[in-house]
Amino acid sequence: MLDGCLETIMGESVSRAAVQAFYEALASRNPVRLAQCLTDDVEWHMAGPVDVLVFCGYRRGKAAVVDYIGRLVPSMLSVTRFQPEEIVIDGNTAAIINNVTAVQKDTGRILNYRTAVFVVFRDGKVASMKGVADTFDMAEQVVGHRIDAYRAPDLPLSKDVIAL
Amino acid sequence: MRGPISAIALPESAGRELPPWIADFYRAFLTRDPDRLAAVLDDDVEWLLTGPAEQFDIYGSRRGKQDAIEVVTRIIPCFFHIADFEFEHLLVQGETVAAYGRLRARQRDTGRSLCFRSAHFLRFRDGRLIAFRSIADTFDMVEQVVGHRIDITRRIEQVSLVPDGDDLLLTL
């Protein structure tokens, strides 16, 4: 296992080894290792309904992203599998399909989902991440039942309706 | 590479030429032209749009050129007409392509504008698409399509087609 993040070549193209090192730091949830891989002004955006899936949303800055990955996500999910299914690297950007299995700590439910993340490196560190996932499926797994998309809510939904 | 992309033309990428088959595919996809699609799809193409396939026919897995063409030209337009894919990232590694951006569309029945984030992973062989996988923010997309917020407490009700007490099942 590689420690820390490797330098990119000429500051332009990111190597597969650097991508792998970041991925392993991400999988470890270790704040120190994560911090080594992120720029100070890193931007992190996981698209999705933040009122249903609190791990979706936008974070900016190393401290916020480390807190999100190293504390917030593990407080809700115990990740048992975090594997890259496909990696595409072009220039300073890597696209990865992650295959994730996790146990929802509140309920013990097992969640399986894939995320697609696009990671931009700058001087060997992650400067931005944009991710997307089948969030409807994720929401169904989190609440533990199939959701009827066509039935409108009886009353305007309160922001207090939170699954996690 | 960043920047908007029109329905008929890919932008110039900075300092390099993109393989022509990428533009060929996206032109065919965005224009829903069956002849163009037939020209860029492999006969055995794997087509996967991840999402709630039980409630929306556009989602799910298809195999083969004809099924993929049917999704693009007939099934997706039943819900909306795709107008544009605004690329934020377009990565090319050999014959593998990864794209991230916003798909813009107009809903067929209501005329509403739709816009949701989507990632595409494509594999080509000899200039033809052999695998297409789309991963999108489906919760957002579904809310826009149905036109109201999703109530996550609403369960899909299982409806039996056989009335209670029907002896038909017992005789089969």
Side-chain angles (χ1 to χ4, degrees), chain A residues 16 51 85-86 89-90 93 97 130 132-136 145-154 157, chain B residues 16 51 54-56 88 91-93 99 123 133 135-139 148-150 152 154-156:
Chain A
R16 183 165 286 268
D51 52 348
E85 193 172 296
E86 185 156 359
I89 300 171
D90 187 1
T93 306
I97 295 180
K130 290 177 180 171
V132 69
D134 180 359
T135 44
F136 193 89
H145 61 80
R146 309 306 304 270
I147 298 170
D148 188 342
Y150 286 98
R151 292 175 65 198
D154 293 331
L157 290 176
Chain B
R16 61 172 183 161
E54 289 180 4
Q55 299 183 74
F56 298 89
E88 293 180 36
L91 282 63
V92 184
Q93 182 184 316
R123 285 185 183 275
R133 176 192 284 192
I135 299 175
D137 180 3
T138 46
F139 198 94
H148 57 75
R149 293 194 66 190
I150 299 299
I152 58 173
R154 295 284 203 190
R155 293 169 183 265
I156 290 183

Side-chain angles (χ1 to χ4, degrees), chain A residues 93-136:
Chain A
T93 306
I96 308 167
I97 295 180
N98 299 313
N99 202 335
V100 184
T101 301
V103 179
Q104 192 177 10
K105 289 190 172 176
D106 286 352
T107 64
R109 276 197 287 272
I110 295 173
L111 314 180
N112 278 297
Y113 55 92
R114 286 181 175 82
T115 61
V117 298
F118 287 71
V119 186
V120 178
F121 290 78
R122 187 175 69 223
D123 299 330
K125 295 186 176 184
V126 173
S128 80
M129 192 292 296
K130 290 177 180 171
V132 69
D134 180 359
T135 44
F136 193 89

Side-chain angles (χ1 to χ4, degrees), chain B residues 58-69:
Chain B
I58 60 177
Y59 293 118
S61 175
R62 268 89 175 178
R63 182 94 187 220
K65 182 185 288 190
Q66 290 310 313
D67 283 2
I69 290 174

Side-chain angles (χ1 to χ4, degrees), chain B residues 94-151:
Chain B
E95 293 185 299
T96 302
V97 176
Y100 176 91
R102 292 170 188 265
L103 193 145
R104 300 183 190 281
R106 186 166 294 278
Q107 194 167 29
R108 192 192 71 167
D109 293 340
T110 65
R112 276 199 302 265
S113 292
L114 312 177
C115 178
F116 53 92
R117 291 181 179 85
S118 184
H120 298 162
F121 286 78
L122 308 92
R123 285 185 183 275
F124 292 85
R125 186 173 59 214
D126 301 328
R128 288 176 179 253
L129 185 72
I130 59 172
F132 176 79
R133 176 192 284 192
S134 170
I135 299 175
D137 180 3
T138 46
F139 198 94
D140 181 38
M141 182 263 184
V142 166
E143 284 194 326
Q144 292 184 54
V145 168
V146 299
H148 57 75
R149 293 194 66 190
I150 299 299
D151 182 350

